[in-house]
Amino acid sequence: MPGICEGRVVIVTGAGRGLGRAHARAYAAEGARVVVNDLGVGPDGSGESGGPAHDVVAEIRAAGGEAVAHGGDIATTEGAASLIGTALDTYGRLDTLVNNAGFLRDRMLVNLDEDAWDAVMRVHLKGHFLPLKHAGAYWRAESKAGRTPRACVINTSSGAGLLGSVGQGNYSAAKAGILGLTMVASAELGAYGVCVNAIAPAARTRMTEETFAETMAAPEEGAFDAMAPENVSPLVVWLGSEASAGVTGRVFEAEAGRITVMEGWRPGPTADRGARWTPAEAGETTLKLLAGAEVPGKVYGAR
């Protein structure tokens, strides 16, 4: 029986390890032809190696699938353009883009230097924007030529982007920015036949193994591995298939066997006096509104 992504061409960034590797393999298992992007850097973004991307391509081909490696830096215009070009030159089309690449440079805010801030913003936020920009330009051209695509983008945010995470001000800000980018891209690219969604996954990867060492430990043999990256991939594959048509501008948490539709900022309790408040009146009214409002979720790591 054909897979739900049979014949589709899918790009996965940061696909050499962890979640990206699991996504790439899952797409290939469902019949997609996959462009496996990975710069081969360390958990903090240092060093480069083409090995991880080529290893995943070899795994996919050994299982009977189709894949090609791309080792460019997708946080540069040249690298992002060549990424989309690799899909078009190799397979003649592009149907799905999974933005997943990233790394960590954790510090408490008072110890966080500009280089660590800029590096994390660059790989996560710019590394989502540039592939999305170039893929979007391709899909727009296809639509204007009368070949309206059934295209999909899945961006990767985090619980840190939804709630914040102590010691991860740069990462939390970047992941929150990805959510805003997702909403804008969904609105702008919808006219060209593109659905854009985001996930906030939780899984055992190089980026999380130290932060969540106790809760993300591997299970006993034969038990369900709740924190395996492969648990997140089924949702990502479905979102990248034609079966998800019409689903756009949404954010999903995915962890273990759980999928949650996240509901973002919405108007809560409000008061309108029809005239300007004094500071004291504004404060008194605000306290009354807060008393009837939902309590925010706790920041990860907060005491």
Side-chain angles (χ1 to χ4, degrees), residues 243-282:
S244 67
V247 178
T248 192
R250 295 287 192 166
V251 179
F252 302 88
E253 273 196 339
E255 175 183 353
R258 178 173 59 84
I259 296 171
T260 304
V261 178
M262 303 304 293
E263 297 181 339
W265 297 107
R266 298 177 182 274
T270 186
D272 183 359
R273 66 174 298 177
R276 184 178 302 154
W277 305 92
T278 67
E281 291 169 337

PDB file of all heavy atoms in Angstrom, residues 243-282:
ATOM      1  N   ALA A 243      -2.952  14.829   3.131  1.00  0.00           N
ATOM      2  CA  ALA A 243      -4.049  14.499   4.034  1.00  0.00           C
ATOM      3  C   ALA A 243      -4.345  15.626   5.015  1.00  0.00           C
ATOM      4  O   ALA A 243      -5.446  15.701   5.574  1.00  0.00           O
ATOM      5  CB  ALA A 243      -3.722  13.216   4.803  1.00  0.00           C
ATOM      6  N   SER A 244      -3.375  16.523   5.230  1.00  0.00           N
ATOM      7  CA  SER A 244      -3.561  17.628   6.182  1.00  0.00           C
ATOM      8  C   SER A 244      -4.070  18.902   5.515  1.00  0.00           C
ATOM      9  O   SER A 244      -4.044  19.978   6.130  1.00  0.00           O
ATOM     10  CB  SER A 244      -2.238  17.929   6.894  1.00  0.00           C
ATOM     11  OG  SER A 244      -1.285  18.448   5.970  1.00  0.00           O
ATOM     12  N   ALA A 245      -4.539  18.802   4.289  1.00  0.00           N
ATOM     13  CA  ALA A 245      -5.024  19.977   3.554  1.00  0.00           C
ATOM     14  C   ALA A 245      -6.034  20.757   4.385  1.00  0.00           C
ATOM     15  O   ALA A 245      -6.942  20.182   4.985  1.00  0.00           O
ATOM     16  CB  ALA A 245      -5.660  19.542   2.238  1.00  0.00           C
ATOM     17  N   GLY A 246      -5.863  22.069   4.435  1.00  0.00           N
ATOM     18  CA  GLY A 246      -6.761  22.934   5.184  1.00  0.00           C
ATOM     19  C   GLY A 246      -6.328  23.208   6.603  1.00  0.00           C
ATOM     20  O   GLY A 246      -6.862  24.101   7.262  1.00  0.00           O
ATOM     21  N   VAL A 247      -5.358  22.440   7.108  1.00  0.00           N
ATOM     22  CA  VAL A 247      -4.836  22.671   8.453  1.00  0.00           C
ATOM     23  C   VAL A 247      -3.654  23.637   8.336  1.00  0.00           C
ATOM     24  O   VAL A 247      -2.610  23.290   7.774  1.00  0.00           O
ATOM     25  CB  VAL A 247      -4.368  21.353   9.109  1.00  0.00           C
ATOM     26  CG1 VAL A 247      -3.781  21.624  10.498  1.00  0.00           C
ATOM     27  CG2 VAL A 247      -5.521  20.365   9.197  1.00  0.00           C
ATOM     28  N   THR A 248      -3.803  24.844   8.841  1.00  0.00           N
ATOM     29  CA  THR A 248      -2.734  25.831   8.709  1.00  0.00           C
ATOM     30  C   THR A 248      -2.834  26.863   9.824  1.00  0.00           C
ATOM     31  O   THR A 248      -3.902  27.074  10.403  1.00  0.00           O
ATOM     32  CB  THR A 248      -2.780  26.510   7.326  1.00  0.00           C
ATOM     33  OG1 THR A 248      -1.575  27.269   7.115  1.00  0.00           O
ATOM     34  CG2 THR A 248      -3.992  27.426   7.187  1.00  0.00           C
ATOM     35  N   GLY A 249      -1.694  27.455  10.152  1.00  0.00           N
ATOM     36  CA  GLY A 249      -1.647  28.455  11.211  1.00  0.00           C
ATOM     37  C   GLY A 249      -1.851  27.872  12.595  1.00  0.00           C
ATOM     38  O   GLY A 249      -2.271  28.576  13.515  1.00  0.00           O
ATOM     39  N   ARG A 250      -1.521  26.609  12.767  1.00  0.00           N
ATOM     40  CA  ARG A 250      -1.721  25.922  14.043  1.00  0.00           C
ATOM     41  C   ARG A 250      -0.389  25.560  14.698  1.00  0.00           C
ATOM     42  O   ARG A 250       0.625  25.399  14.024  1.00  0.00           O
ATOM     43  CB  ARG A 250      -2.532  24.647  13.847  1.00  0.00           C
ATOM     44  CG  ARG A 250      -3.958  24.878  13.382  1.00  0.00           C
ATOM     45  CD  ARG A 250      -4.812  25.425  14.498  1.00  0.00           C
ATOM     46  NE  ARG A 250      -6.230  25.409  14.182  1.00  0.00           N
ATOM     47  CZ  ARG A 250      -7.192  25.588  15.082  1.00  0.00           C
ATOM     48  NH1 ARG A 250      -6.877  25.806  16.340  1.00  0.00           N
ATOM     49  NH2 ARG A 250      -8.465  25.569  14.716  1.00  0.00           N
ATOM     50  N   VAL A 251      -0.450  25.400  16.009  1.00  0.00           N
ATOM     51  CA  VAL A 251       0.710  24.971  16.783  1.00  0.00           C
ATOM     52  C   VAL A 251       0.316  23.721  17.568  1.00  0.00           C
ATOM     53  O   VAL A 251      -0.734  23.691  18.207  1.00  0.00           O
ATOM     54  CB  VAL A 251       1.177  26.062  17.762  1.00  0.00           C
ATOM     55  CG1 VAL A 251       2.386  25.579  18.576  1.00  0.00           C
ATOM     56  CG2 VAL A 251       1.515  27.348  17.005  1.00  0.00           C
ATOM     57  N   PHE A 252       1.165  22.706  17.496  1.00  0.00           N
ATOM     58  CA  PHE A 252       0.887  21.429  18.164  1.00  0.00           C
ATOM     59  C   PHE A 252       2.032  21.069  19.104  1.00  0.00           C
ATOM     60  O   PHE A 252       3.202  21.171  18.724  1.00  0.00           O
ATOM     61  CB  PHE A 252       0.749  20.297  17.141  1.00  0.00           C
ATOM     62  CG  PHE A 252      -0.319  20.516  16.106  1.00  0.00           C
ATOM     63  CD1 PHE A 252      -0.026  21.195  14.930  1.00  0.00           C
ATOM     64  CD2 PHE A 252      -1.610  20.040  16.296  1.00  0.00           C
ATOM     65  CE1 PHE A 252      -0.998  21.397  13.952  1.00  0.00           C
ATOM     66  CE2 PHE A 252      -2.592  20.231  15.331  1.00  0.00           C
ATOM     67  CZ  PHE A 252      -2.290  20.912  14.167  1.00  0.00           C
ATOM     68  N   GLU A 253       1.692  20.613  20.303  1.00  0.00           N
ATOM     69  CA  GLU A 253       2.688  19.941  21.140  1.00  0.00           C
ATOM     70  C   GLU A 253       2.658  18.457  20.800  1.00  0.00           C
ATOM     71  O   GLU A 253       1.577  17.885  20.594  1.00  0.00           O
ATOM     72  CB  GLU A 253       2.386  20.131  22.626  1.00  0.00           C
ATOM     73  CG  GLU A 253       2.971  21.386  23.206  1.00  0.00           C
ATOM     74  CD  GLU A 253       2.994  21.372  24.729  1.00  0.00           C
ATOM     75  OE1 GLU A 253       2.224  20.600  25.344  1.00  0.00           O
ATOM     76  OE2 GLU A 253       3.791  22.135  25.300  1.00  0.00           O
ATOM     77  N   ALA A 254       3.828  17.855  20.725  1.00  0.00           N
ATOM     78  CA  ALA A 254       3.923  16.426  20.426  1.00  0.00           C
ATOM     79  C   ALA A 254       4.960  15.815  21.355  1.00  0.00           C
ATOM     80  O   ALA A 254       6.118  16.229  21.375  1.00  0.00           O
ATOM     81  CB  ALA A 254       4.323  16.208  18.976  1.00  0.00           C
ATOM     82  N   GLU A 255       4.513  14.847  22.116  1.00  0.00           N
ATOM     83  CA  GLU A 255       5.395  14.183  23.084  1.00  0.00           C
ATOM     84  C   GLU A 255       4.861  12.794  23.373  1.00  0.00           C
ATOM     85  O   GLU A 255       3.654  12.624  23.617  1.00  0.00           O
ATOM     86  CB  GLU A 255       5.451  14.985  24.385  1.00  0.00           C
ATOM     87  CG  GLU A 255       6.253  14.320  25.494  1.00  0.00           C
ATOM     88  CD  GLU A 255       6.216  15.111  26.791  1.00  0.00           C
ATOM     89  OE1 GLU A 255       5.680  16.234  26.797  1.00  0.00           O
ATOM     90  OE2 GLU A 255       6.714  14.583  27.797  1.00  0.00           O
ATOM     91  N   ALA A 256       5.754  11.810  23.325  1.00  0.00           N
ATOM     92  CA  ALA A 256       5.367  10.420  23.615  1.00  0.00           C
ATOM     93  C   ALA A 256       4.176  10.037  22.736  1.00  0.00           C
ATOM     94  O   ALA A 256       4.246  10.139  21.521  1.00  0.00           O
ATOM     95  CB  ALA A 256       5.067  10.264  25.096  1.00  0.00           C
ATOM     96  N   GLY A 257       3.071   9.629  23.346  1.00  0.00           N
ATOM     97  CA  GLY A 257       1.879   9.276  22.578  1.00  0.00           C
ATOM     98  C   GLY A 257       0.828  10.363  22.614  1.00  0.00           C
ATOM     99  O   GLY A 257      -0.346  10.097  22.345  1.00  0.00           O
ATOM    100  N   ARG A 258       1.228  11.601  22.916  1.00  0.00           N
ATOM    101  CA  ARG A 258       0.273  12.694  23.127  1.00  0.00           C
ATOM    102  C   ARG A 258       0.432  13.772  22.063  1.00  0.00           C
ATOM    103  O   ARG A 258       1.533  14.200  21.756  1.00  0.00           O
ATOM    104  CB  ARG A 258       0.482  13.296  24.519  1.00  0.00           C
ATOM    105  CG  ARG A 258      -0.425  14.483  24.850  1.00  0.00           C
ATOM    106  CD  ARG A 258      -0.246  14.884  26.317  1.00  0.00           C
ATOM    107  NE  ARG A 258       1.129  15.242  26.623  1.00  0.00           N
ATOM    108  CZ  ARG A 258       1.666  16.447  26.412  1.00  0.00           C
ATOM    109  NH1 ARG A 258       0.927  17.399  25.868  1.00  0.00           N
ATOM    110  NH2 ARG A 258       2.914  16.689  26.729  1.00  0.00           N
ATOM    111  N   ILE A 259      -0.691  14.231  21.508  1.00  0.00           N
ATOM    112  CA  ILE A 259      -0.736  15.367  20.595  1.00  0.00           C
ATOM    113  C   ILE A 259      -1.702  16.383  21.186  1.00  0.00           C
ATOM    114  O   ILE A 259      -2.831  16.045  21.551  1.00  0.00           O
ATOM    115  CB  ILE A 259      -1.220  14.952  19.193  1.00  0.00           C
ATOM    116  CG1 ILE A 259      -0.229  13.972  18.550  1.00  0.00           C
ATOM    117  CG2 ILE A 259      -1.418  16.177  18.301  1.00  0.00           C
ATOM    118  CD1 ILE A 259      -0.738  13.355  17.257  1.00  0.00           C
ATOM    119  N   THR A 260      -1.267  17.634  21.278  1.00  0.00           N
ATOM    120  CA  THR A 260      -2.091  18.691  21.845  1.00  0.00           C
ATOM    121  C   THR A 260      -2.146  19.876  20.892  1.00  0.00           C
ATOM    122  O   THR A 260      -1.104  20.329  20.406  1.00  0.00           O
ATOM    123  CB  THR A 260      -1.527  19.173  23.198  1.00  0.00           C
ATOM    124  OG1 THR A 260      -1.408  18.063  24.090  1.00  0.00           O
ATOM    125  CG2 THR A 260      -2.430  20.230  23.819  1.00  0.00           C
ATOM    126  N   VAL A 261      -3.356  20.359  20.614  1.00  0.00           N
ATOM    127  CA  VAL A 261      -3.504  21.597  19.854  1.00  0.00           C
ATOM    128  C   VAL A 261      -3.324  22.747  20.834  1.00  0.00           C
ATOM    129  O   VAL A 261      -4.080  22.885  21.796  1.00  0.00           O
ATOM    130  CB  VAL A 261      -4.892  21.695  19.184  1.00  0.00           C
ATOM    131  CG1 VAL A 261      -5.027  23.021  18.439  1.00  0.00           C
ATOM    132  CG2 VAL A 261      -5.112  20.526  18.239  1.00  0.00           C
ATOM    133  N   MET A 262      -2.317  23.567  20.597  1.00  0.00           N
ATOM    134  CA  MET A 262      -2.038  24.686  21.491  1.00  0.00           C
ATOM    135  C   MET A 262      -2.881  25.898  21.078  1.00  0.00           C
ATOM    136  O   MET A 262      -3.007  26.196  19.887  1.00  0.00           O
ATOM    137  CB  MET A 262      -0.551  25.036  21.446  1.00  0.00           C
ATOM    138  CG  MET A 262       0.359  23.875  21.792  1.00  0.00           C
ATOM    139  SD  MET A 262       0.002  23.136  23.419  1.00  0.00           S
ATOM    140  CE  MET A 262       0.486  24.479  24.505  1.00  0.00           C
ATOM    141  N   GLU A 263      -3.434  26.562  22.074  1.00  0.00           N
ATOM    142  CA  GLU A 263      -4.241  27.749  21.826  1.00  0.00           C
ATOM    143  C   GLU A 263      -3.498  28.947  22.396  1.00  0.00           C
ATOM    144  O   GLU A 263      -3.274  29.042  23.599  1.00  0.00           O
ATOM    145  CB  GLU A 263      -5.627  27.584  22.459  1.00  0.00           C
ATOM    146  CG  GLU A 263      -6.403  26.419  21.840  1.00  0.00           C
ATOM    147  CD  GLU A 263      -7.780  26.246  22.441  1.00  0.00           C
ATOM    148  OE1 GLU A 263      -8.014  26.733  23.560  1.00  0.00           O
ATOM    149  OE2 GLU A 263      -8.633  25.622  21.769  1.00  0.00           O
ATOM    150  N   GLY A 264      -3.135  29.867  21.526  1.00  0.00           N
ATOM    151  CA  GLY A 264      -2.253  30.957  21.910  1.00  0.00           C
ATOM    152  C   GLY A 264      -2.958  32.133  22.540  1.00  0.00           C
ATOM    153  O   GLY A 264      -4.017  32.005  23.153  1.00  0.00           O
ATOM    154  N   TRP A 265      -2.341  33.309  22.394  1.00  0.00           N
ATOM    155  CA  TRP A 265      -2.868  34.516  23.016  1.00  0.00           C
ATOM    156  C   TRP A 265      -4.275  34.817  22.509  1.00  0.00           C
ATOM    157  O   TRP A 265      -4.503  34.978  21.323  1.00  0.00           O
ATOM    158  CB  TRP A 265      -1.968  35.706  22.698  1.00  0.00           C
ATOM    159  CG  TRP A 265      -0.589  35.566  23.243  1.00  0.00           C
ATOM    160  CD1 TRP A 265       0.556  35.307  22.544  1.00  0.00           C
ATOM    161  CD2 TRP A 265      -0.192  35.663  24.620  1.00  0.00           C
ATOM    162  NE1 TRP A 265       1.634  35.238  23.390  1.00  0.00           N
ATOM    163  CE2 TRP A 265       1.198  35.461  24.672  1.00  0.00           C
ATOM    164  CE3 TRP A 265      -0.889  35.911  25.804  1.00  0.00           C
ATOM    165  CZ2 TRP A 265       1.909  35.498  25.861  1.00  0.00           C
ATOM    166  CZ3 TRP A 265      -0.168  35.952  26.992  1.00  0.00           C
ATOM    167  CH2 TRP A 265       1.216  35.744  27.011  1.00  0.00           C
ATOM    168  N   ARG A 266      -5.207  34.895  23.436  1.00  0.00           N
ATOM    169  CA  ARG A 266      -6.589  35.260  23.126  1.00  0.00           C
ATOM    170  C   ARG A 266      -7.050  36.276  24.165  1.00  0.00           C
ATOM    171  O   ARG A 266      -6.587  36.256  25.306  1.00  0.00           O
ATOM    172  CB  ARG A 266      -7.517  34.030  23.172  1.00  0.00           C
ATOM    173  CG  ARG A 266      -7.163  32.952  22.152  1.00  0.00           C
ATOM    174  CD  ARG A 266      -8.087  31.740  22.338  1.00  0.00           C
ATOM    175  NE  ARG A 266      -7.736  30.671  21.417  1.00  0.00           N
ATOM    176  CZ  ARG A 266      -8.187  30.575  20.168  1.00  0.00           C
ATOM    177  NH1 ARG A 266      -9.021  31.507  19.702  1.00  0.00           N
ATOM    178  NH2 ARG A 266      -7.845  29.578  19.390  1.00  0.00           N
ATOM    179  N   PRO A 267      -7.995  37.159  23.811  1.00  0.00           N
ATOM    180  CA  PRO A 267      -8.480  38.123  24.803  1.00  0.00           C
ATOM    181  C   PRO A 267      -9.084  37.420  26.006  1.00  0.00           C
ATOM    182  O   PRO A 267      -9.875  36.487  25.874  1.00  0.00           O
ATOM    183  CB  PRO A 267      -9.552  38.915  24.038  1.00  0.00           C
ATOM    184  CG  PRO A 267      -9.178  38.762  22.598  1.00  0.00           C
ATOM    185  CD  PRO A 267      -8.602  37.379  22.484  1.00  0.00           C
ATOM    186  N   GLY A 268      -8.680  37.839  27.184  1.00  0.00           N
ATOM    187  CA  GLY A 268      -9.250  37.339  28.425  1.00  0.00           C
ATOM    188  C   GLY A 268     -10.134  38.406  29.043  1.00  0.00           C
ATOM    189  O   GLY A 268     -10.763  39.196  28.331  1.00  0.00           O
ATOM    190  N   PRO A 269     -10.191  38.477  30.371  1.00  0.00           N
ATOM    191  CA  PRO A 269     -10.998  39.504  31.031  1.00  0.00           C
ATOM    192  C   PRO A 269     -10.596  40.903  30.562  1.00  0.00           C
ATOM    193  O   PRO A 269      -9.412  41.198  30.387  1.00  0.00           O
ATOM    194  CB  PRO A 269     -10.675  39.302  32.514  1.00  0.00           C
ATOM    195  CG  PRO A 269     -10.286  37.870  32.624  1.00  0.00           C
ATOM    196  CD  PRO A 269      -9.554  37.568  31.348  1.00  0.00           C
ATOM    197  N   THR A 270     -11.572  41.762  30.356  1.00  0.00           N
ATOM    198  CA  THR A 270     -11.297  43.104  29.856  1.00  0.00           C
ATOM    199  C   THR A 270     -12.230  44.120  30.495  1.00  0.00           C
ATOM    200  O   THR A 270     -13.307  43.767  30.999  1.00  0.00           O
ATOM    201  CB  THR A 270     -11.453  43.152  28.315  1.00  0.00           C
ATOM    202  OG1 THR A 270     -11.058  44.432  27.834  1.00  0.00           O
ATOM    203  CG2 THR A 270     -12.881  42.886  27.897  1.00  0.00           C
ATOM    204  N   ALA A 271     -11.825  45.351  30.527  1.00  0.00           N
ATOM    205  CA  ALA A 271     -12.648  46.433  31.045  1.00  0.00           C
ATOM    206  C   ALA A 271     -12.444  47.660  30.165  1.00  0.00           C
ATOM    207  O   ALA A 271     -11.315  47.943  29.744  1.00  0.00           O
ATOM    208  CB  ALA A 271     -12.277  46.759  32.494  1.00  0.00           C
ATOM    209  N   ASP A 272     -13.497  48.380  29.868  1.00  0.00           N
ATOM    210  CA  ASP A 272     -13.425  49.562  29.018  1.00  0.00           C
ATOM    211  C   ASP A 272     -14.319  50.644  29.617  1.00  0.00           C
ATOM    212  O   ASP A 272     -15.540  50.502  29.656  1.00  0.00           O
ATOM    213  CB  ASP A 272     -13.891  49.212  27.602  1.00  0.00           C
ATOM    214  CG  ASP A 272     -13.773  50.389  26.636  1.00  0.00           C
ATOM    215  OD1 ASP A 272     -13.353  51.487  27.080  1.00  0.00           O
ATOM    216  OD2 ASP A 272     -14.090  50.208  25.454  1.00  0.00           O
ATOM    217  N   ARG A 273     -13.731  51.725  30.091  1.00  0.00           N
ATOM    218  CA  ARG A 273     -14.513  52.792  30.700  1.00  0.00           C
ATOM    219  C   ARG A 273     -14.898  53.875  29.694  1.00  0.00           C
ATOM    220  O   ARG A 273     -15.617  54.819  30.014  1.00  0.00           O
ATOM    221  CB  ARG A 273     -13.762  53.426  31.872  1.00  0.00           C
ATOM    222  CG  ARG A 273     -12.481  54.171  31.475  1.00  0.00           C
ATOM    223  CD  ARG A 273     -11.863  54.888  32.663  1.00  0.00           C
ATOM    224  NE  ARG A 273     -12.775  55.898  33.196  1.00  0.00           N
ATOM    225  CZ  ARG A 273     -12.508  56.637  34.278  1.00  0.00           C
ATOM    226  NH1 ARG A 273     -11.369  56.436  34.939  1.00  0.00           N
ATOM    227  NH2 ARG A 273     -13.346  57.548  34.696  1.00  0.00           N
ATOM    228  N   GLY A 274     -14.378  53.755  28.460  1.00  0.00           N
ATOM    229  CA  GLY A 274     -14.714  54.734  27.435  1.00  0.00           C
ATOM    230  C   GLY A 274     -14.020  56.063  27.606  1.00  0.00           C
ATOM    231  O   GLY A 274     -14.371  57.043  26.941  1.00  0.00           O
ATOM    232  N   ALA A 275     -13.056  56.115  28.494  1.00  0.00           N
ATOM    233  CA  ALA A 275     -12.281  57.349  28.723  1.00  0.00           C
ATOM    234  C   ALA A 275     -10.933  56.950  29.308  1.00  0.00           C
ATOM    235  O   ALA A 275     -10.692  55.781  29.623  1.00  0.00           O
ATOM    236  CB  ALA A 275     -13.029  58.277  29.674  1.00  0.00           C
ATOM    237  N   ARG A 276     -10.047  57.931  29.471  1.00  0.00           N
ATOM    238  CA  ARG A 276      -8.709  57.640  29.972  1.00  0.00           C
ATOM    239  C   ARG A 276      -8.742  57.306  31.464  1.00  0.00           C
ATOM    240  O   ARG A 276      -9.427  57.942  32.241  1.00  0.00           O
ATOM    241  CB  ARG A 276      -7.791  58.841  29.728  1.00  0.00           C
ATOM    242  CG  ARG A 276      -6.338  58.613  30.139  1.00  0.00           C
ATOM    243  CD  ARG A 276      -5.506  59.837  29.825  1.00  0.00           C
ATOM    244  NE  ARG A 276      -5.589  60.158  28.402  1.00  0.00           N
ATOM    245  CZ  ARG A 276      -5.407  61.371  27.897  1.00  0.00           C
ATOM    246  NH1 ARG A 276      -5.159  62.394  28.709  1.00  0.00           N
ATOM    247  NH2 ARG A 276      -5.481  61.570  26.598  1.00  0.00           N
ATOM    248  N   TRP A 277      -7.955  56.298  31.838  1.00  0.00           N
ATOM    249  CA  TRP A 277      -7.813  55.930  33.245  1.00  0.00           C
ATOM    250  C   TRP A 277      -6.778  56.839  33.922  1.00  0.00           C
ATOM    251  O   TRP A 277      -5.846  57.316  33.285  1.00  0.00           O
ATOM    252  CB  TRP A 277      -7.311  54.493  33.376  1.00  0.00           C
ATOM    253  CG  TRP A 277      -8.109  53.433  32.693  1.00  0.00           C
ATOM    254  CD1 TRP A 277      -7.913  52.962  31.434  1.00  0.00           C
ATOM    255  CD2 TRP A 277      -9.208  52.695  33.230  1.00  0.00           C
ATOM    256  NE1 TRP A 277      -8.818  51.967  31.138  1.00  0.00           N
ATOM    257  CE2 TRP A 277      -9.638  51.782  32.232  1.00  0.00           C
ATOM    258  CE3 TRP A 277      -9.880  52.706  34.456  1.00  0.00           C
ATOM    259  CZ2 TRP A 277     -10.686  50.893  32.430  1.00  0.00           C
ATOM    260  CZ3 TRP A 277     -10.932  51.819  34.651  1.00  0.00           C
ATOM    261  CH2 TRP A 277     -11.327  50.931  33.649  1.00  0.00           C
ATOM    262  N   THR A 278      -6.912  57.007  35.212  1.00  0.00           N
ATOM    263  CA  THR A 278      -5.784  57.504  35.993  1.00  0.00           C
ATOM    264  C   THR A 278      -4.906  56.300  36.310  1.00  0.00           C
ATOM    265  O   THR A 278      -5.370  55.152  36.251  1.00  0.00           O
ATOM    266  CB  THR A 278      -6.242  58.143  37.315  1.00  0.00           C
ATOM    267  OG1 THR A 278      -6.787  57.119  38.162  1.00  0.00           O
ATOM    268  CG2 THR A 278      -7.286  59.240  37.069  1.00  0.00           C
ATOM    269  N   PRO A 279      -3.607  56.503  36.651  1.00  0.00           N
ATOM    270  CA  PRO A 279      -2.780  55.354  36.996  1.00  0.00           C
ATOM    271  C   PRO A 279      -3.368  54.501  38.117  1.00  0.00           C
ATOM    272  O   PRO A 279      -3.333  53.266  38.059  1.00  0.00           O
ATOM    273  CB  PRO A 279      -1.453  55.992  37.416  1.00  0.00           C
ATOM    274  CG  PRO A 279      -1.379  57.240  36.603  1.00  0.00           C
ATOM    275  CD  PRO A 279      -2.799  57.737  36.567  1.00  0.00           C
ATOM    276  N   ALA A 280      -3.920  55.145  39.145  1.00  0.00           N
ATOM    277  CA  ALA A 280      -4.496  54.390  40.256  1.00  0.00           C
ATOM    278  C   ALA A 280      -5.697  53.578  39.800  1.00  0.00           C
ATOM    279  O   ALA A 280      -5.865  52.407  40.186  1.00  0.00           O
ATOM    280  CB  ALA A 280      -4.894  55.342  41.379  1.00  0.00           C
ATOM    281  N   GLU A 281      -6.556  54.178  38.971  1.00  0.00           N
ATOM    282  CA  GLU A 281      -7.722  53.463  38.460  1.00  0.00           C
ATOM    283  C   GLU A 281      -7.313  52.305  37.570  1.00  0.00           C
ATOM    284  O   GLU A 281      -7.890  51.215  37.632  1.00  0.00           O
ATOM    285  CB  GLU A 281      -8.623  54.420  37.672  1.00  0.00           C
ATOM    286  CG  GLU A 281      -9.322  55.465  38.524  1.00  0.00           C
ATOM    287  CD  GLU A 281      -9.979  56.550  37.686  1.00  0.00           C
ATOM    288  OE1 GLU A 281      -9.547  56.746  36.519  1.00  0.00           O
ATOM    289  OE2 GLU A 281     -10.900  57.207  38.190  1.00  0.00           O
ATOM    290  N   ALA A 282      -6.291  52.552  36.720  1.00  0.00           N
ATOM    291  CA  ALA A 282      -5.806  51.488  35.838  1.00  0.00           C
ATOM    292  C   ALA A 282      -5.280  50.314  36.654  1.00  0.00           C
ATOM    293  O   ALA A 282      -5.536  49.138  36.345  1.00  0.00           O
ATOM    294  CB  ALA A 282      -4.712  52.021  34.916  1.00  0.00           C
TER     295      ALA A 282
END
